[in-house]
Structures are given as C-alpha cells and as structure tokens.
Amino acid sequence: MKDPIYALLRREVTNVGKEFERLPYERLLVAAEVLSFSRVIEGVEISFSAEAFDVKPNGDAGFCVDASADPNRTGKQPSYQFYKRKDGTVYY
C-alpha cells in the first residue's frame, strides 16, 4: 500500500531541497544551524528541518533537508541531500 502522505512529503522535500540548492554558497554556510519551518500543502502541515551537515576540506558544503507530517502511516521521513561547491555548482 502506498502512503499518499509519504508521496507528498517526498515531492515537497525535493522542492524545498531545490530551493536551498539555488541559495548562494555563503548563505548555505550561514544556515549551518538547524533551520526549522512548516508549510501547509494540500491541507497537510509539513515540518521541514534543514542544516549544513558537513564542510569538506576543499570547502564543499553538505546540506540536508528532512520532512515530516502526521499522519504518515509508513513512519518514514524523506530527506534531500546535496553538496554545494564554492563556485555554486551542486552535486549529490
């Protein structure tokens, strides 16, 4: 059985992750503290937490966005992760 709430979470965590990808490199580093916020999408309140989780010796910054909502019958919470280079390019 597929959970429509999980499908919504997966789609929206990807959308929010892409928003963070577009931020300048320096802004992601400022976001090194955990950012938490909520959005109501299709009548469901989705909570997001985002953080810079790693800065490699070459300066590449790892970033992660997690999403959760109730009810989520699968109990799974999707994440979106990427690395951003100082030149602004992104890789996964």
Side-chain angles (χ1 to χ4, degrees), residues 39-79:
R39 293 182 182 171
V40 176
I41 301 166
E42 298 177 15
V44 177
E45 184 174 6
I46 301 175
S47 299
F48 297 94
S49 62
E51 67 177 323
F53 66 87
D54 184 26
V55 177
K56 294 183 175 186
N58 66 356
D60 293 2
F63 205 78
C64 179
V65 181
D66 298 317
S68 63
D70 286 323
N72 178 355
R73 292 176 290 279
T74 65
K76 296 180 182 177
Q77 298 178 338
S79 293

Side-chain angles (χ1 to χ4, degrees), residues 20 23-36 50-55 59-63 82 84:
F20 278 104
L23 291 177
Y25 174 85
E26 294 78 18
R27 177 67 180 100
L28 283 180
L29 291 182
V30 171
E33 297 178 22
V34 174
L35 304 172
S36 297
E51 67 177 323
F53 66 87
D54 184 26
V55 177
D60 293 2
F63 205 78
F82 64 92
K84 187 156 195 160

